[in-house]
Amino acid sequence: NIISTMTTKQLTKIENYVKKATINVDSQHGYPHLLRTKNTATQIVNLLKLNSKIDINLQQAACLLHDIHHIKYKPSFLNWLRESKLLHQVLPPVLEQFNLNESDRYILSEAVYKHTFSFPFRLLNKKYPLYAQIVQDADTLDFLSEIRILDLKKNKNKSRFYRFLSLISGLAKYGQKNIKTRLNIPEIIDHLIQN
């Protein structure tokens, strides 16, 4: 296990940066989505008692930065397919300003780059560290949440891509029913239901 040394001060700097940087990012990928993803990831870590295996500051930072490419690139079908490539362009210069050590930068970057395509493609991160698994699962849970589906319907006229997604939003109901097949840590659903 690589030991993280991310401080609360560094996490706060990242959170403040993300809050400002995403002010003009649409609500599907803006700060409220990033905050829900961060909170869900923290809930996963706490419910599964993973605190000894995860640096919570680093986990939260990865959640806050997982859609950072949207500060530069608008939502589109092509950009969705190229999401990891776009993140490889945008994330490294963003991370420069936070004075992270090499291992924290590596863990955080890997978790951000690997968060895509659990739904609908079921490309999971089971072979990757917990950080990548948890960011992907927290993002998937938010993607399939009622709040996100309602927000998509409300904003469907903001882009052709969202209009297309709203037409197939019925797939989200399928995803909700089969959520365990879209998660790296499917047992989290049982814990979430209990709580």
Side-chain angles (χ1 to χ4, degrees):
N1 279 353
I2 301 170
I3 304 298
S4 169
T5 58
M6 181 177 278
T7 64
T8 303
K9 188 176 179 181
Q10 286 171 312
L11 175 62
T12 301
K13 272 182 145 175
I14 290 170
E15 188 151 10
N16 290 338
Y17 167 81
V18 168
K19 200 178 219 176
K20 280 184 194 159
T22 60
I23 203 138
N24 293 319
V25 172
D26 70 274
S27 55
Q28 285 288 297
H29 300 97
Y31 187 69
H33 160 63
L34 302 173
L35 197 57
R36 287 192 309 270
T37 304
K38 177 190 105 164
N39 292 339
T40 300
T42 303
Q43 194 177 12
I44 290 169
V45 169
N46 291 334
L47 289 172
L48 297 180
K49 298 176 178 30
L50 298 172
N51 302 68
S52 63
K53 296 179 181 180
I54 289 286
D55 179 297
I56 200 67
N57 288 344
L58 190 57
Q59 184 69 65
Q60 290 180 349
C63 289
L64 289 167
L65 290 164
H66 82 273
D67 277 342
I68 199 64
H69 61 294
H70 286 285
I71 65 173
K72 190 171 178 183
Y73 297 99
K74 297 286 180 213
S76 72
F77 187 72
L78 183 60
N79 285 348
W80 176 62
L81 292 175
R82 300 182 319 157
E83 192 166 5
S84 186
K85 185 177 182 174
L86 300 178
L87 282 162
H88 275 84
Q89 291 172 15
V90 176
L91 184 64
V94 166
L95 292 182
E96 289 295 315
Q97 62 194 298
F98 302 118
N99 199 26
L100 304 178
N101 70 37
E102 192 176 337
S103 69
D104 284 358
R105 212 170 39 250
Y106 177 82
I107 293 167
L108 188 152
S109 297
E110 181 179 56
V112 168
Y113 299 151
K114 297 288 181 194
H115 86 271
T116 61
F117 297 139
S118 69
F119 185 82
F121 302 118
R122 217 185 297 179
L123 293 175
L124 300 176
N125 291 328
K126 291 182 183 271
K127 293 180 181 173
Y128 289 91
L130 275 172
Y131 292 94
Q133 293 181 38
I134 292 169
V135 171
Q136 188 179 47
D137 285 358
D139 185 47
T140 300
L141 288 167
D142 191 65
F143 180 77
L144 295 172
S145 70
E146 291 301 324
I147 191 169
R148 193 92 178 269
I149 295 166
L150 290 171
D151 182 72
L152 177 64
K153 288 177 180 172
K154 188 174 86 180
N155 291 297
K156 69 181 178 188
N157 293 323
K158 290 191 176 177
S159 82
R160 281 187 293 192
F161 181 54
Y162 288 165
R163 214 169 7 258
F164 168 73
L165 283 181
S166 70
L167 290 173
I168 61 166
S169 63
L171 279 176
K173 294 289 180 202
Y174 171 81
Q176 290 169 341
K177 286 180 187 161
N178 297 286
I179 188 69
K180 285 187 175 185
T181 65
R182 301 303 195 269
L183 298 175
N184 297 286
I185 312 169
E187 61 269 23
I188 190 57
I189 294 301
D190 300 325
H191 288 275
L192 289 170
I193 290 168
Q194 288 171 10
N195 288 284

